[in-house]
Amino acid sequence: MDWPISEVARMSGVTARTLRHYDEIGLLPPARIGSNGRRHYEEHQLLLLQQILVLRALDVGLPEIGRILADQVDTVEALRGHHLRLLAERDRLDTLAATVSRTIAELEQSRRDGTPMTAINRPENLFEGIDPSLYEANLRDFPGLYEKAGRLAATTTPAEAEAGQRERTALMIRLAEHMAAGTPPDAEPVQAEIEAQYRVHPVSGEEYRAIGRSCVDNEQWRAAYEAIAPGLAEYQRDAIEVYAVSRLG
Protein backbone atom coordinates (compact mmCIF):
# COMPACT_ATOMS: atom_id res chain seq x y z
CA MET A 1 0.00 0.00 0.00
CA ASP A 2 1.19 3.51 -0.73
CA TRP A 3 -0.08 7.04 -0.21
CA PRO A 4 0.13 10.05 -2.55
CA ILE A 5 1.97 13.13 -1.39
CA SER A 6 -1.27 14.98 -0.70
CA GLU A 7 -2.42 12.27 1.71
CA VAL A 8 0.98 12.13 3.46
CA ALA A 9 0.84 15.90 3.86
CA ARG A 10 -2.62 15.64 5.39
CA MET A 11 -1.66 12.84 7.79
CA SER A 12 1.62 14.35 8.96
CA GLY A 13 0.82 18.05 8.91
CA VAL A 14 3.88 18.63 6.72
CA THR A 15 3.23 20.63 3.58
CA ALA A 16 3.63 18.99 0.17
CA ARG A 17 6.22 21.66 -0.60
CA THR A 18 8.31 20.53 2.37
CA LEU A 19 8.00 16.90 1.34
CA ARG A 20 9.20 17.80 -2.15
CA HIS A 21 12.12 19.67 -0.59
CA TYR A 22 13.02 16.61 1.51
CA ASP A 23 13.07 14.62 -1.73
CA GLU A 24 15.18 17.20 -3.56
CA ILE A 25 17.90 17.17 -0.88
CA GLY A 26 17.89 13.37 -0.70
CA LEU A 27 16.48 13.21 2.81
CA LEU A 28 13.19 11.47 2.00
CA PRO A 29 12.84 10.17 -1.57
CA PRO A 30 9.36 8.77 -2.33
CA ALA A 31 8.82 5.07 -2.90
CA ARG A 32 7.82 5.81 -6.48
CA ILE A 33 6.76 8.62 -8.78
CA GLY A 34 3.61 8.04 -10.81
CA SER A 35 3.22 8.65 -14.52
CA ASN A 36 1.62 11.99 -13.66
CA GLY A 37 4.73 13.03 -11.68
CA ARG A 38 3.01 12.66 -8.32
CA ARG A 39 5.13 11.26 -5.48
CA HIS A 40 3.91 8.19 -3.59
CA TYR A 41 5.10 6.96 -0.18
CA GLU A 42 5.04 3.55 1.47
CA GLU A 43 5.27 2.49 5.12
CA HIS A 44 9.09 2.73 5.14
CA GLN A 45 8.98 6.35 4.03
CA LEU A 46 6.33 7.18 6.63
CA LEU A 47 8.57 5.75 9.36
CA LEU A 48 11.48 7.82 8.07
CA LEU A 49 9.27 10.91 8.02
CA GLN A 50 8.30 10.27 11.62
CA GLN A 51 11.98 10.17 12.59
CA ILE A 52 12.68 13.36 10.64
CA LEU A 53 9.86 15.19 12.41
CA VAL A 54 10.96 13.93 15.82
CA LEU A 55 14.52 15.10 15.22
CA ARG A 56 13.29 18.46 13.90
CA ALA A 57 11.27 18.84 17.11
CA LEU A 58 14.55 18.31 18.97
CA ASP A 59 16.10 21.18 16.93
CA VAL A 60 18.35 18.90 14.89
CA GLY A 61 19.24 20.47 11.54
CA LEU A 62 18.46 18.79 8.24
CA PRO A 63 22.12 18.01 7.36
CA GLU A 64 22.59 16.30 10.72
CA ILE A 65 19.30 14.41 10.30
CA GLY A 66 20.56 13.15 6.95
CA ARG A 67 23.72 11.82 8.60
CA ILE A 68 21.72 10.18 11.40
CA LEU A 69 19.39 8.43 8.97
CA ALA A 70 22.30 7.33 6.79
CA ASP A 71 24.19 5.85 9.74
CA GLN A 72 21.34 4.01 11.44
CA VAL A 73 20.99 0.28 10.86
CA ASP A 74 17.93 -0.75 12.84
CA THR A 75 14.75 1.36 12.84
CA VAL A 76 13.58 0.09 16.23
CA GLU A 77 16.91 0.92 17.89
CA ALA A 78 16.88 4.33 16.24
CA LEU A 79 13.39 5.01 17.55
CA ARG A 80 14.44 3.93 21.05
CA GLY A 81 17.21 6.52 20.92
CA HIS A 82 14.78 9.21 19.73
CA HIS A 83 12.36 8.20 22.48
CA LEU A 84 15.01 8.69 25.16
CA ARG A 85 15.85 12.12 23.76
CA LEU A 86 12.16 13.07 23.78
CA LEU A 87 11.80 11.98 27.40
CA ALA A 88 14.84 14.06 28.33
CA GLU A 89 13.40 17.04 26.46
CA ARG A 90 10.05 16.55 28.22
CA ASP A 91 11.78 16.62 31.60
CA ARG A 92 13.71 19.75 30.62
CA LEU A 93 10.51 21.51 29.51
CA ASP A 94 8.74 20.48 32.73
CA THR A 95 11.58 22.03 34.71
CA LEU A 96 11.53 25.14 32.52
CA ALA A 97 7.76 25.49 32.97
CA ALA A 98 8.19 25.29 36.75
CA THR A 99 10.94 27.93 36.56
CA VAL A 100 8.70 30.31 34.60
CA SER A 101 5.80 29.69 37.01
CA ARG A 102 8.01 30.46 40.02
CA THR A 103 9.36 33.63 38.41
CA ILE A 104 5.85 34.87 37.56
CA ALA A 105 4.76 34.32 41.16
CA GLU A 106 7.77 36.18 42.53
CA LEU A 107 7.36 39.10 40.11
CA GLU A 108 3.68 39.40 41.05
CA GLN A 109 4.54 39.29 44.75
CA SER A 110 7.26 41.90 44.27
CA ARG A 111 4.81 44.15 42.40
CA ARG A 112 2.20 43.82 45.16
CA ASP A 113 4.35 44.56 48.20
CA GLY A 114 7.37 46.35 46.73
CA THR A 115 9.91 43.83 48.01
CA PRO A 116 12.83 42.62 45.84
CA MET A 117 12.53 39.30 44.07
CA THR A 118 14.01 36.53 46.23
CA ALA A 119 15.27 34.78 43.08
CA ILE A 120 17.94 37.42 42.67
CA ASN A 121 19.69 35.93 45.71
CA ARG A 122 20.06 32.72 43.73
CA PRO A 123 19.95 33.79 40.08
CA GLU A 124 20.74 30.32 38.88
CA ASN A 125 17.15 29.43 39.86
CA LEU A 126 15.95 31.49 36.93
CA PHE A 127 17.71 29.25 34.47
CA GLU A 128 16.73 25.77 35.62
CA GLY A 129 15.84 23.74 32.54
CA ILE A 130 17.80 26.02 30.21
CA ASP A 131 20.93 24.64 28.56
CA PRO A 132 23.39 27.55 28.11
CA SER A 133 25.20 25.74 25.29
CA LEU A 134 22.07 26.13 23.15
CA TYR A 135 22.37 29.90 23.29
CA GLU A 136 26.14 30.01 23.00
CA ALA A 137 25.90 27.98 19.79
CA ASN A 138 23.55 30.56 18.32
CA LEU A 139 26.20 33.27 18.71
CA ARG A 140 27.67 31.81 15.51
CA ASP A 141 25.16 34.02 13.73
CA PHE A 142 27.31 36.93 14.94
CA PRO A 143 30.92 35.94 14.10
CA GLY A 144 32.64 38.90 15.78
CA LEU A 145 30.76 38.43 19.02
CA TYR A 146 31.17 34.64 18.89
CA GLU A 147 34.94 34.87 18.51
CA LYS A 148 35.25 37.45 21.28
CA ALA A 149 33.06 35.39 23.62
CA GLY A 150 35.17 32.31 22.85
CA ARG A 151 38.42 34.11 23.67
CA LEU A 152 36.94 35.47 26.88
CA ALA A 153 35.63 32.06 27.96
CA ALA A 154 39.05 30.50 27.41
CA THR A 155 40.63 32.83 29.98
CA THR A 156 37.76 33.02 32.48
CA THR A 157 37.90 31.11 35.75
CA PRO A 158 34.80 29.25 37.00
CA ALA A 159 34.38 31.86 39.76
CA GLU A 160 34.56 34.71 37.23
CA ALA A 161 32.09 32.93 34.96
CA GLU A 162 29.65 32.51 37.83
CA ALA A 163 30.04 36.17 38.82
CA GLY A 164 29.42 37.21 35.23
CA GLN A 165 26.31 35.03 35.05
CA ARG A 166 25.00 36.59 38.25
CA GLU A 167 25.56 40.09 36.91
CA ARG A 168 23.84 39.30 33.62
CA THR A 169 20.94 37.81 35.54
CA ALA A 170 20.73 40.90 37.75
CA LEU A 171 20.59 43.09 34.64
CA MET A 172 17.79 40.98 33.17
CA ILE A 173 15.86 41.06 36.45
CA ARG A 174 16.10 44.85 36.62
CA LEU A 175 14.86 45.06 33.04
CA ALA A 176 11.94 42.77 33.92
CA GLU A 177 11.10 45.01 36.88
CA HIS A 178 11.05 48.08 34.60
CA MET A 179 8.74 46.20 32.27
CA ALA A 180 6.45 45.17 35.13
CA ALA A 181 6.31 48.80 36.29
CA GLY A 182 5.18 49.91 32.82
CA THR A 183 8.36 51.85 32.03
CA PRO A 184 8.61 52.33 28.23
CA PRO A 185 11.63 50.80 26.45
CA ASP A 186 12.96 54.23 25.45
CA ALA A 187 12.97 55.60 29.01
CA GLU A 188 16.37 56.58 30.39
CA PRO A 189 16.46 53.97 33.22
CA VAL A 190 15.80 51.22 30.69
CA GLN A 191 18.35 52.58 28.24
CA ALA A 192 20.93 52.68 31.04
CA GLU A 193 20.39 48.97 31.61
CA ILE A 194 20.72 48.28 27.88
CA GLU A 195 23.97 50.24 27.80
CA ALA A 196 25.30 48.16 30.68
CA GLN A 197 24.47 45.01 28.72
CA TYR A 198 26.00 46.41 25.54
CA ARG A 199 29.29 47.29 27.20
CA VAL A 200 29.86 43.63 28.14
CA HIS A 201 30.33 42.77 24.42
CA PRO A 202 30.21 45.94 22.27
CA VAL A 203 29.44 45.37 18.58
CA SER A 204 28.34 47.50 15.64
CA GLY A 205 24.97 49.19 15.73
CA GLU A 206 23.54 46.99 13.00
CA GLU A 207 24.81 43.82 14.68
CA TYR A 208 23.36 44.92 18.02
CA ARG A 209 19.98 45.50 16.36
CA ALA A 210 20.22 41.99 14.88
CA ILE A 211 21.00 40.60 18.32
CA GLY A 212 17.94 42.41 19.67
CA ARG A 213 15.74 40.83 16.99
CA SER A 214 17.21 37.43 17.83
CA CYS A 215 15.92 37.80 21.40
CA VAL A 216 12.47 37.23 19.86
CA ASP A 217 13.16 35.35 16.62
CA ASN A 218 15.56 32.75 18.06
CA GLU A 219 13.50 30.15 19.93
CA GLN A 220 16.21 29.31 22.47
CA TRP A 221 17.06 32.92 23.25
CA ARG A 222 13.38 33.78 23.55
CA ALA A 223 12.87 30.93 26.02
CA ALA A 224 15.69 32.32 28.19
CA TYR A 225 13.98 35.71 28.44
CA GLU A 226 10.50 34.26 28.85
CA ALA A 227 11.85 32.13 31.72
CA ILE A 228 12.30 35.38 33.62
CA ALA A 229 9.08 37.13 32.65
CA PRO A 230 6.55 36.73 29.83
CA GLY A 231 7.03 39.52 27.29
CA LEU A 232 10.62 40.25 28.32
CA ALA A 233 12.03 39.10 24.97
CA GLU A 234 9.99 41.70 23.06
CA TYR A 235 10.74 44.35 25.68
CA GLN A 236 14.49 43.67 25.41
CA ARG A 237 14.30 43.76 21.59
CA ASP A 238 12.48 47.08 21.59
CA ALA A 239 14.88 48.61 24.11
CA ILE A 240 17.90 47.44 22.10
CA GLU A 241 16.39 48.88 18.92
CA VAL A 242 16.02 52.29 20.58
CA TYR A 243 19.56 52.15 21.96
CA ALA A 244 21.14 51.06 18.67
CA VAL A 245 19.35 53.70 16.62
CA SER A 246 19.83 56.59 19.06
CA ARG A 247 23.33 55.89 20.36
CA LEU A 248 25.13 53.66 17.89
CA GLY A 249 23.87 55.18 14.65
Side-chain angles (χ1 to χ4, degrees):
M1 182 177 180
D2 63 20
W3 296 266
I5 189 170
S6 58
E7 183 65 12
V8 174
R10 184 195 65 78
M11 290 187 298
S12 66
V14 176
T15 66
R17 180 179 180 181
T18 297
L19 290 170
R20 288 192 293 269
H21 175 64
Y22 288 169
D23 178 19
E24 290 165 1
I25 64 175
L27 189 62
L28 184 66
R32 67 181 180 87
I33 298 179
S35 57
N36 58 358
R38 180 178 297 176
R39 293 167 172 82
H40 289 258
Y41 299 80
E42 296 179 351
E43 182 179 277
H44 175 68
Q45 284 73 40
L46 296 187
L47 288 170
L48 287 177
L49 178 58
Q50 182 196 52
Q51 293 189 60
I52 292 168
L53 297 182
V54 167
L55 291 168
R56 291 295 291 136
L58 292 168
D59 289 325
V60 180
L62 293 180
E64 180 63 20
I65 291 176
R67 288 190 287 271
I68 291 172
L69 294 181
D71 291 342
Q72 74 180 32
V73 176
D74 184 80
T75 300
V76 173
E77 287 303 312
L79 287 172
R80 283 199 180 103
H82 302 333
H83 183 235
L84 289 175
R85 292 181 66 177
L86 286 169
L87 291 177
E89 180 68 2
R90 179 201 63 188
D91 293 342
R92 186 186 73 82
L93 289 174
D94 285 346
T95 301
L96 183 56
T99 299
V100 173
S101 177
R102 182 174 62 247
T103 305
I104 290 171
E106 293 199 0
L107 278 171
E108 289 177 339
Q109 181 66 34
S110 175
R111 193 183 305 174
R112 282 194 299 270
D113 57 24
T115 59
M117 283 183 62
T118 58
I120 196 60
N121 296 321
R122 292 192 64 210
E124 63 273 14
N125 287 347
L126 294 170
F127 298 99
E128 290 183 46
I130 301 174
D131 182 357
S133 65
L134 295 176
Y135 316 114
E136 293 165 4
N138 284 295
L139 286 178
R140 292 190 178 93
D141 293 336
F142 309 100
L145 183 58
Y146 180 71
E147 292 175 8
K148 182 176 180 180
R151 291 194 300 270
L152 183 63
T155 59
T156 299
T157 66
E160 290 171 336
E162 182 179 352
Q165 177 63 31
R166 287 178 178 274
E167 177 56 26
R168 286 190 294 273
T169 302
L171 284 168
M172 295 171 78
I173 286 292
R174 290 196 295 271
L175 201 65
E177 289 172 342
H178 284 305
M179 182 185 70
T183 308
D186 60 353
E188 182 56 34
V190 177
Q191 289 299 295
E193 296 293 353
I194 296 299
E195 182 170 15
Q197 293 184 20
Y198 172 78
R199 293 192 179 281
V200 175
H201 294 297
V203 293
S204 70
E206 186 56 39
E207 191 165 33
Y208 200 41
R209 293 177 70 190
I211 290 171
R213 292 192 294 270
S214 291
C215 293
V216 174
D217 298 339
N218 184 290
E219 292 183 6
Q220 289 110 354
W221 284 13
R222 184 186 182 96
Y225 285 97
E226 297 301 295
I228 293 178
L232 185 58
E234 288 87 353
Y235 190 76
Q236 170 92 8
R237 176 202 58 197
D238 294 346
I240 286 178
E241 179 71 16
V242 171
Y243 181 86
V245 170
S246 63
R247 306 195 188 191
L248 302 179

